[in-house]
Each structure stands twice: as C-alpha cells, then as structure tokens.
Amino acid sequence: MAHITLKDVSKTYSGSAHSAVSGVDIAIQDGEFIVLVGPSGCGKSTLLRMVAGLEAISGGQVHIGDRLVNDLDPAERDIAMVFQNYALYPHMTVRDNMAYGLKNRGASRQELAQRVQEAATLLELGPYLDRKPRALSGGQRQRVAMGRAIVRQPAAFLFDEPLSNLDAKLRVTMRMEIRKLQKRLGTTALYVTHDQLEAMTLADRLVVLNGGQIEQIGAPLEVYRTPASTFVASFIGAPAMSLLDAHVESGRLVLAGHQVARVHAGDGPLTLGLRAEDLRIAPQGLPMDVEFIEELGAQRVVYGLVDGQRLAVVETGAKSISQRVHIAIDPQRLHLFDTVSGRRRDIVVEQQIPSHAHL
Amino acid sequence: MTDALTTNGAPKTMRDRLRLWWRAEPAHPMKRAQFNAPLAPWLFVLPQIAVVVVFFYWPAIQAVTSSFYIEDPFGFGATFVGLENYKTALDSTQYASTAAFTAFFCVVVTTLALGFGLLLAVKADKVIRGAHSYKTLLIAVYAIAPPVAGLIGMMFFDMHIGPFTEIAAWFGYELKVGVNYWDTVVALVTIAVWKQIPYNFIFFLSGMQSIPASVREAALIDARSGWRRFCDVTLPLLAPTAFFLLIINITYTMFDTFPIIDVIVKDKPANNPMTLVYKVYLDGFKGNDIGGSSAQSVILMIVVAVLTVVQFRFLERRVHYG
Ligand SMILES: Nc1ncnc2c1ncn2[C@@H]1O[C@H](COP(=O)(O)OP(=O)(O)OP(=O)(O)O)[C@@H](O)[C@H]1O
Ligand SMILES: [Mg+2]
C-alpha cells in the first residue's frame, strides 16, 4: 500500500509529432481508488502503462510510495496489473497463474499455498484452481486475473478496462466486486475506463483526460455537479448535459429571446449548460419543439429544439406529450462556460424570476 | 420434379447421376455444401489418393516384397530367402556403425539447428516486434537462403579451394574432409546445421510473434529476470512450434541430408561417415544388392514409424496447444 505521485508526466511516442500525454499531475492518496476516464485515444492507457513501467516515461516523475520509479523495471515497482484481455498464462493452471508472481519473489511453498487459497476463497475460485484458463468462462478468467493481482499484495492495482470484454450484466456485478475488494484490502488503485458510468460508480476521485491532458480531477459528484469545462460536462452524465449558446445583456442571461436569470457578468456570449434532470416540463416557460422521446421505464428523456438548439429534459410522468412544450429552468442549477475556452465561469446567479418573462 | 433419369426422385444409375449432376442448377445456398450422391466426395479425393498410392504405397510394397528375395546380379530372376536379407543387414558391423552415426548425427544436428534457430529468433524478435516491413524482409531473405547456404557450405569445406581448409591450415591443422573420419563429421554437421537454421528461425520467429503482447507484459510484471520469463512463459508457449520443428528436423537429418553427404563422401575412401539412407542408396544402386538395400529401407521405415509414435505419445502430451 502506498501513495502514488505523478509530477508533470508526459509521453511522446517515438516517431510521433505530438505528445500522447502531457503535463499530468496527480497526487493519489494511500488506499484511494482513482479512475482515469476519457474518450478513446485520450492517453489513459499510456498514462497507466507509464506507471506500470511498460512504457518509458518521456518527461516528469512517477513516485510509488517514496520511491522514484522512472527507471525501475515493471517487476520492481511493486504493482499488479489487470489487463483488458486478462493476459493469463495459457499453459499454467489457475493456481500457477496466481502463484507465479509471488513465486518469483521468493515466497515459501507454504506461504504460496496459503495466499493462493485465500485469494481463491475471496474470489470463489476454489473449484477451478486446477483448470487451465481456456476451460473458464470470461467472467471466471476475469476473476483469475484479479486473483493474480491480489495474491501478491502489491502497493497498487492497475486496471486497464478490465470489464469491457464482459456482458453488460456481469460488468455491473464485477464492478461492485472490484470496488468491495479494493475497499477491503485497502490497496491503492488506478483504473482506466472510457465508460463514464463505471467511472462514476467506482471512483473515489475521477481524473477526466482529454487529448493527453487533465481536464478535471475530483470526486464523482463534484465533477458531475460542477464540471470544469464543456468537455467534462458533455462527457460525464447520461443523458449528456445540453450546451446552448446564450448571452448576457445588461445583467440578464438571455437564451433564445427569453430571460433565464439575472447574473453578475459583463455583456457578451456564454455557453449555458443544463442537466436534463434539472429541467421540468411546465405550463409556462421556455418553448421547446419535441423531436423524439427516449422511454427508459422509470423515466423518459424528451429531446427537443429550443430556437434550433438541442435540449434534453428528464420527465417522470406518464402523460402523453404534445408537440410543443414549455420548460421551466431553475436559476440555481445553471452551468455557465466561456464560449471560447469552454472553461467553467463562476458567475453569481442572482434571483429567481419567471423564466417565461419576455424581454 | 419428375424426370426420366430418376425413379421416385432417386437417380437410377451412376451415369444418370453424373448427367443429373451436370444439368443441375446451382443449389440453394442452404444446401450448397451437401452431396446427395455418395459419388462426388470420392471424385474429389481421388487425385490425392492416387498420388499417395502411386508414390508411397506402391514403392513401399515393392520394397517390402523385394526385401524377401535375393536378386541375381545379372538380372536373371530372384530367389526367395525369407528374412535372410534382414539378418545379414542387422549382423553386419558396418550397418551397426552407420546406424550409430545416424543416431549421433540426428541428435547433434537437431540440437544445434534448433538451438541456433531459437537463439536468432529471440534476438530478432526483440528488434522487430511490431515492425511489419522488417519482418517480411527478414523472412524473404531467409526463405531464399537454405539452398544457397547448402551450396556455399560445401564450397567452404572443399579440399582445394575451401576457406575453412585454409583457416585450419593457418592454425597448423590439416583439414581433410572426405578422408579423415572426424573432419568429415565436422563438415557434415556444420553444413547440415547451417542449412537448417533459417527454416527453424522462421518458424520460431513467427511462433514468438504470435504470443500476445499482454501475456508478455504480464510476465514482465511477474518476473524480474528475463531468463525466468523465457523459461516459464516464452518457451512453453513455443512448445507446439518446437515439437513440430523437432519432427521436421529429425526427418531432415535422416533423409534430406542425402545430397550433402553425396557431395562430400562421393568417390572418396570407404570408411567415411554416412547415414542409413545413404547406405541404402549405396548398397542398392552402387552395390547392386537390391534385396539387402530393400531390407534396410524397410528397417528404416519401421524406425521412423516407431520414432513418430514415440514422439507423439510422450512429447505431445507435455506440449501445450493454446
Ligand atoms: N505504441 C504507440 N506508438 C505510437 N503511438 C501510440 C502508441 N500507443 C498509443 N499511441 C497513441 O497515443 C495516443 C493515446 O493512446 P492510448 O492507448 O493511451 O489511448 P486510450 O485513452 O487508452 O484509448 P482507448 O480508450 O481507445 O484504449 C493515441 O493517439 C494513440 O494513437
Ligand atoms: Mg486504452
């Protein structure tokens, strides 16, 4: 168990013009579960593999515990990794797969047997210990890969999309198991995924990556409630936050000719972010032309156009919805972003006024 | 469909079947791969069977038959002698020493050729992992190499112009390939190994490249020593390739080294090393002892059959097929 510190870490692949990862600073506490999340190609795997030692670090420093590990071999970094395709040794039994890493570190026969037994019990792998990986289901292989990681009792677990080869239902179960296991063992974990739901449910803290740089670090709810940029806002949460062009006119936030709120900001354009569940269909308010409705059972998501801009609203009622509806906006739940940089702007939103008030 | 060629939907004779087949429209996609006549599959395998019968079974039967006869040297008929030819062969000290040399030759050539092939593959794999153009180039170069290598190898050891002879002379040793028994052995082994390395190299290399990158990376995390990783992960995953190559290499040493031996041993004093196959040829075609050489070749067939069975039973079980 250890803390992991990344200082200004960057990576440029040889033969590539721009860097895959740049200027990454993360301080991971001992026992913390950190999830790296972002779209495909944003450098999540690269970052994780640099911590693992599978990829050379081009710049910056990585500390695991108090050791600078930049120049250490993967085997010397005291980490364990779970791969997307499990990467089990096909010629070894489940038992040998789990024991191999520890055996190479000079554990006694007795200790080996005991630790493997413990891990097998924890992961309910007892009946499969003498099988080869090819005789296991995907979910069982996944468990063996987990077992291989925990047997060694490393300083940190590294996961690279470990659940993406499983079906949706198993993914949810395994997700919870990984979370429980990590809490119980108290081992620091760094977990890569492109699934924002997986990220939200697993993480103590999220690291949102975009184009090799950190967009935001924070607890899942914090990231959800106060996204630092339009990128984070549209990536975290489903349905995605609606982003609309608005502007400020002498202290009033105006969207599609309607005054939405009073704000303390100079005149000019702004990007207005609205979460679907913060909006309501009301008798009066912002007019929206309904485009289509996504029925989810417990609720439905109504998509429509406000002055030509796409907006999503969550609705729990079962009534049929007319072609044109009115949307009520809570001024306390607005997200405002700079139109050019996309960064969040902390603007004081003043008072509640009827959102349907015409100018 | 009612048709003159069929009764109750079934074709009447073989000829009618063929005619039906000729006239038939393309089958429905669902049925396309099915034959409703038992004839068609036989037609497809016939050429294959013919090749095997003509070039393998027929000569084999010939060999077995003539091994029970002593043929008149002048071609006037043959006398049935039972197992006499076998007895003569197995009792001869020359046969015993040739067999011993063949076994020795097999072990040494196979070990060295596999060892060097693997060593080169490991080194090459480090360099070209992932780089496709490199790999194609390397394989292309090595694919052309074997016949050329064999030729060059023989030139190297030539009594008069061979550079190896000169190098040895430089060290004060007179290398007499084809005259001195052990000098000849060294030359034979060197050329045979030299010629087989590229083949083994290609197979080992492609075997190494087919080990998933993530499995190697997992090993990188689990084991610090490269030698340990090689022994525990790479080698077992190469075992199917190695097993295949083992059989190929033994077969190669026993049979395909014939031309090498022929070039080096031909027209040279008689106490030279040679393989059993070469002795079959020598006794049969040079010595005109058809019966004796047939008996030897039957013994050889039995040895190979036994070897193959042993290899499959005892080695394959220890080999992992992923
Ligand atoms: N071995 C490599 N050589 C050159 N470029 C690479 C290499 N591996 C990755 N890259 C590049 O680095 C960038 C980041 O890749 P990375 O694999 O870290 O993405 P990722 O976030 O893990 O994506 P995904 O979710 O699809 O796995 C990509 O633009 C990719 O093309
Ligand atoms: Mg990745």
Side-chain angles (χ1 to χ4, degrees), chain A residues 49 76 85 89 91 100 105, chain B residues 214 217 219 221-222 224 232:
Chain A
R49 290 164 57 81
E76 296 171 313
N85 58 4
Y89 307 120
H91 58 292
Y100 185 57
R105 285 164 175 78
Chain B
S214 60
E217 288 173 351
I221 292 172
D222 273 346
R224 214 185 130 184
D232 295 343

Side-chain angles (χ1 to χ4, degrees), chain A residues 11-16 18-21 36-49 55 84 160-161 192-195 209 211-212:
Chain A
K11 172 77 188 179
T12 309
Y13 283 103
S14 62
S16 161
H18 51 261
S19 44
V21 168
L36 297 173
V37 67
S40 184
C42 70
K44 310 179 291 287
S45 297
T46 303
L47 193 55
L48 190 79
R49 290 164 57 81
E55 212 71 72
Q84 177 173 352
D160 194 349
E161 311 210 17
V192 162
T193 179
H194 60 255
D195 180 347
L209 284 174

Side-chain angles (χ1 to χ4, degrees), chain B residues 102 106 250-257 275 277 300 303-304 307:
Chain B
T102 309
C106 271
I250 290 177
T251 321
Y252 160 81
T253 325
M254 285 181 83
F255 298 98
D256 296 348
T257 48
T275 56
V277 173
L300 206 54
V303 168
V304 169
L307 253 175

Side-chain angles (χ1 to χ4, degrees), chain A residues 11-315:
Chain A
K11 172 77 188 179
T12 309
Y13 283 103
S14 62
S16 161
H18 51 261
S19 44
V21 168
S22 59
V24 167
D25 285 296
I26 313 174
I28 302 171
Q29 308 299 317
D30 188 6
E32 204 176 14
F33 201 121
I34 292 282
V35 175
L36 297 173
V37 67
S40 184
C42 70
K44 310 179 291 287
S45 297
T46 303
L47 193 55
L48 190 79
R49 290 164 57 81
M50 281 195 284
V51 176
L54 299 173
E55 212 71 72
I57 299 167
S58 309
Q61 296 176 327
V62 175
H63 284 87
I64 297 177
D66 296 320
R67 287 191 304 163
L68 177 67
V69 298
N70 280 39
D71 298 320
L72 293 185
D73 285 340
E76 296 171 313
R77 295 192 179 192
D78 198 15
I79 46 97
M81 186 150 166
V82 179
F83 295 83
Q84 177 173 352
N85 58 4
Y86 321 133
L88 301 176
Y89 307 120
H91 58 292
M92 295 187 194
T93 61
V94 168
R95 186 192 308 279
D96 293 340
N97 259 286
M98 295 208 278
Y100 185 57
L102 201 56
K103 201 170 104 195
N104 285 321
R105 285 164 175 78
S108 72
R109 184 176 290 246
Q110 188 192 352
E111 191 186 0
L112 264 180
Q114 190 200 332
R115 293 246 212 123
V116 170
Q117 199 51 55
E118 275 170 17
T121 314
L122 205 60
L123 293 160
E124 295 163 20
L125 281 171
Y128 311 112
L129 278 178
D130 292 313
R131 286 204 202 168
K132 296 269 175 71
R134 67 167 171 270
L136 299 177
S137 73
Q140 289 160 348
R141 285 178 207 184
Q142 176 55 49
R143 278 168 204 276
V144 178
M146 286 290 302
R148 190 164 65 176
I150 65 178
V151 159
R152 285 209 357 243
Q153 304 181 347
F157 293 141
L158 307 177
F159 300 89
D160 194 349
E161 311 210 17
L163 303 182
S164 49
N165 283 1
L166 302 178
D167 69 65
K169 204 168 160 193
L170 197 52
R171 202 146 61 205
V172 174
T173 344
M174 285 303 292
R175 196 162 77 197
M176 291 193 311
E177 284 191 29
I178 289 181
R179 176 70 188 166
K180 276 196 296 196
L181 207 59
Q182 190 269 347
K183 278 287 154 267
R184 180 158 156 191
L185 301 170
T187 309
T188 315
L190 196 53
Y191 188 106
V192 162
T193 179
H194 60 255
D195 180 347
Q196 57 95 19
L197 192 64
E198 209 170 286
M200 293 281 289
T201 47
L202 278 173
D204 289 325
R205 277 195 300 159
L206 284 180
V207 176
V208 185
L209 284 174
N210 180 23
Q213 284 170 316
I214 295 181
E215 284 278 331
Q216 186 172 10
I217 303 183
L221 268 187
E222 180 190 333
V223 173
Y224 185 82
R225 292 210 175 119
T226 53
S229 65
T230 49
F231 175 85
V232 178
S234 57
F235 193 79
I236 301 290
M241 182 187 281
S242 309
L243 297 168
L244 305 103
D245 293 329
H247 63 274
V248 179
E249 232 175 73
S250 48
R252 294 188 304 252
L253 181 67
V254 178
L255 171 67
H258 287 259
Q259 177 175 327
V260 177
R262 282 197 156 272
V263 294
H264 290 198
D267 287 5
L270 277 178
T271 299
L272 171 62
L274 296 169
R275 287 252 181 241
E277 67 272 23
D278 293 339
L279 303 173
R280 274 179 306 109
I281 293 179
Q284 294 165 320
L286 201 65
M288 178 174 88
D289 296 318
V290 176
E291 274 199 317
F292 62 95
I293 299 170
E294 219 171 58
E295 200 64 67
L296 298 177
Q299 60 189 38
R300 53 188 166 178
V301 186
V302 182
Y303 293 90
L305 292 177
V306 172
D307 194 29
Q309 305 192 66
R310 171 67 55 78
L311 185 67
V313 181
V314 164
E315 219 246 345

